[in-house]
Coordinates of all heavy atoms in Angstrom, one line a residue:
G1 N -223.2 -8.0 87.6 CA -222.5 -9.0 88.4 C -221.3 -9.6 87.7 O -220.9 -10.7 88.0
V2 N -220.7 -8.8 86.8 CA -219.5 -9.4 86.1 C -218.3 -8.5 86.3 O -217.2 -8.8 85.9 CB -219.8 -9.5 84.6 CG1 -220.8 -10.6 84.4 CG2 -220.1 -8.2 83.9
G3 N -218.5 -7.3 86.9 CA -217.4 -6.3 87.1 C -216.2 -6.9 87.8 O -215.0 -6.7 87.3
L4 N -216.4 -7.5 88.9 CA -215.3 -8.1 89.7 C -214.6 -9.3 89.1 O -213.5 -9.6 89.2 CB -215.7 -8.4 91.2 CG -216.0 -7.2 92.0 CD1 -216.5 -7.6 93.4 CD2 -214.8 -6.3 92.2
A5 N -215.5 -10.0 88.3 CA -214.9 -11.2 87.6 C -214.0 -10.7 86.5 O -212.9 -11.3 86.2 CB -216.1 -12.0 87.0
V6 N -214.4 -9.6 85.8 CA -213.5 -9.0 84.8 C -212.2 -8.5 85.4 O -211.1 -8.8 84.9 CB -214.3 -7.8 84.2 CG1 -213.3 -7.0 83.3 CG2 -215.4 -8.2 83.3
A7 N -212.3 -7.8 86.6 CA -211.1 -7.3 87.3 C -210.2 -8.4 87.7 O -209.0 -8.3 87.4 CB -211.6 -6.5 88.5
K8 N -210.7 -9.5 88.2 CA -209.9 -10.7 88.6 C -209.2 -11.3 87.4 O -208.0 -11.6 87.5 CB -210.7 -11.7 89.3 CG -209.8 -12.8 89.9 CD -210.6 -13.9 90.7 CE -209.6 -14.8 91.4 NZ -208.6 -15.4 90.4
R9 N -209.9 -11.5 86.3 CA -209.3 -12.1 85.1 C -208.2 -11.2 84.6 O -207.1 -11.7 84.2 CB -210.3 -12.3 84.1 CG -209.8 -12.9 82.8 CD -209.1 -14.2 83.0 NE -208.5 -14.7 81.8 CZ -207.5 -15.6 81.7 NH1 -207.0 -16.0 82.8 NH2 -207.1 -16.0 80.5
I10 N -208.4 -9.9 84.6 CA -207.3 -8.9 84.1 C -206.1 -9.0 85.0 O -205.0 -9.0 84.5 CB -207.9 -7.5 84.0 CG1 -209.0 -7.4 82.9 CG2 -206.8 -6.5 83.8 CD1 -209.7 -6.1 82.9
I11 N -206.3 -9.0 86.3 CA -205.2 -9.1 87.2 C -204.5 -10.4 87.1 O -203.2 -10.5 87.2 CB -205.7 -8.9 88.7 CG1 -206.3 -7.5 88.8 CG2 -204.5 -9.0 89.7 CD1 -205.5 -6.4 88.4
D12 N -205.2 -11.5 86.9 CA -204.5 -12.8 86.6 C -203.7 -12.8 85.4 O -202.6 -13.3 85.4 CB -205.6 -13.9 86.5 CG -206.3 -14.3 87.8 OD1 -205.7 -13.9 88.9 OD2 -207.4 -14.9 87.8
L13 N -204.1 -12.1 84.3 CA -203.3 -12.0 83.1 C -202.0 -11.2 83.4 O -201.0 -11.4 82.7 CB -204.1 -11.3 82.0 CG -205.2 -12.1 81.3 CD1 -206.1 -11.2 80.4 CD2 -204.6 -13.2 80.5
H14 N -202.1 -10.3 84.4 CA -200.9 -9.5 84.7 C -200.0 -10.2 85.8 O -199.1 -9.6 86.3 CB -201.3 -8.1 85.3 CG -201.7 -7.2 84.2 ND1 -203.0 -7.2 83.7 CD2 -201.0 -6.2 83.5 CE1 -203.1 -6.2 82.7 NE2 -201.9 -5.6 82.6
Q15 N -200.4 -11.5 86.1 CA -199.7 -12.3 87.1 C -199.7 -11.6 88.5 O -198.7 -11.6 89.2 CB -198.2 -12.5 86.7 CG -198.1 -13.3 85.4 CD -196.7 -13.5 84.9 OE1 -195.8 -13.2 85.6 NE2 -196.6 -13.9 83.6
G16 N -200.8 -10.9 88.8 CA -201.0 -10.3 90.1 C -202.0 -11.0 90.9 O -202.4 -12.1 90.6
R17 N -202.5 -10.3 91.9 CA -203.6 -10.9 92.7 C -204.5 -9.8 93.2 O -204.0 -8.6 93.4 CB -203.0 -11.7 93.9 CG -202.2 -10.9 94.9 CD -201.6 -11.7 96.0 NE -200.9 -11.0 97.0 CZ -199.6 -10.7 96.9 NH1 -198.9 -11.1 95.8 NH2 -198.9 -9.9 97.8
I18 N -205.7 -10.1 93.4 CA -206.7 -9.2 93.9 C -207.4 -9.8 95.1 O -207.7 -11.0 95.1 CB -207.8 -8.8 92.8 CG1 -208.8 -7.8 93.4 CG2 -208.5 -10.0 92.3 CD1 -209.6 -7.2 92.3
Q19 N -207.6 -9.0 96.2 CA -208.1 -9.5 97.5 C -209.1 -8.5 98.0 O -209.1 -7.3 97.6 CB -207.0 -9.8 98.5 CG -206.0 -10.8 98.0 CD -204.8 -10.8 99.0 OE1 -204.1 -9.8 99.2 NE2 -204.5 -12.0 99.6
V20 N -210.0 -9.0 98.9 CA -210.9 -8.2 99.6 C -210.9 -8.5 101.1 O -210.8 -9.6 101.5 CB -212.3 -8.3 99.0 CG1 -212.8 -9.7 99.2 CG2 -213.3 -7.3 99.7
S21 N -210.9 -7.4 101.9 CA -211.1 -7.6 103.4 C -212.2 -6.7 103.8 O -212.3 -5.5 103.3 CB -209.8 -7.3 104.1 OG -209.4 -6.0 103.9
S22 N -213.1 -7.2 104.6 CA -214.2 -6.3 105.0 C -214.6 -6.7 106.5 O -214.7 -7.8 106.9 CB -215.4 -6.6 104.1 OG -216.5 -5.8 104.4
G23 N -214.9 -5.6 107.2 CA -215.3 -5.8 108.6 C -215.2 -4.4 109.4 O -214.5 -3.5 109.0
G24 N -216.1 -4.3 110.3 CA -216.1 -3.1 111.1 C -216.5 -1.8 110.3 O -216.0 -0.7 110.6
G25 N -217.3 -2.0 109.3 CA -217.8 -0.9 108.5 C -216.7 -0.4 107.5 O -216.9 0.7 107.0
K26 N -215.7 -1.2 107.2 CA -214.7 -0.8 106.3 C -214.4 -2.0 105.3 O -214.2 -3.1 105.7 CB -213.4 -0.5 107.1 CG -212.2 -0.2 106.3 CD -211.0 0.1 107.2 CE -209.7 0.4 106.4 NZ -208.5 0.6 107.3
T27 N -214.4 -1.7 104.0 CA -214.1 -2.7 103.0 C -212.9 -2.2 102.2 O -212.9 -1.0 101.7 CB -215.3 -2.9 102.1 OG1 -216.4 -3.4 102.9 CG2 -215.0 -3.9 101.0
V28 N -211.9 -3.1 102.0 CA -210.7 -2.7 101.2 C -210.5 -3.7 100.1 O -210.4 -4.9 100.4 CB -209.5 -2.7 102.1 CG1 -208.3 -2.3 101.3 CG2 -209.7 -1.8 103.3
F29 N -210.4 -3.2 98.9 CA -210.0 -4.1 97.8 C -208.6 -3.8 97.5 O -208.2 -2.6 97.2 CB -210.9 -3.8 96.5 CG -212.2 -4.5 96.6 CD1 -213.3 -3.9 97.2 CD2 -212.4 -5.7 96.0 CE1 -214.6 -4.5 97.2 CE2 -213.6 -6.4 96.1 CZ -214.7 -5.8 96.7
S30 N -207.7 -4.8 97.5 CA -206.3 -4.6 97.2 C -205.9 -5.3 96.0 O -206.2 -6.5 95.8 CB -205.5 -5.1 98.4 OG -205.8 -4.4 99.6
V31 N -205.1 -4.6 95.1 CA -204.6 -5.2 93.9 C -203.1 -5.1 93.9 O -202.6 -4.0 94.0 CB -205.2 -4.5 92.6 CG1 -204.5 -5.0 91.4 CG2 -206.7 -4.7 92.6
S32 N -202.4 -6.2 93.9 CA -201.0 -6.3 93.8 C -200.5 -6.7 92.4 O -200.9 -7.7 91.9 CB -200.4 -7.2 94.9 OG -200.7 -6.8 96.2

């Protein structure tokens, strides 16, 4: 239960953002 927390902290350090959208049997994780 720490993998996504690790990912978010790393993306924050890179001054980026991470988002998730889910619905209709489709889940998308987007990292900018």
Side-chain angles (χ1 to χ4, degrees):
V2 297
L4 290 177
V6 169
K8 186 178 188 307
R9 178 57 184 158
I10 291 172
I11 298 306
D12 288 343
L13 285 172
H14 283 83
Q15 300 176 10
R17 62 181 181 273
I18 182 169
Q19 299 171 305
V20 60
S21 63
S22 185
K26 177 182 176 181
T27 297
V28 183
F29 281 88
S30 300
V31 175
S32 297

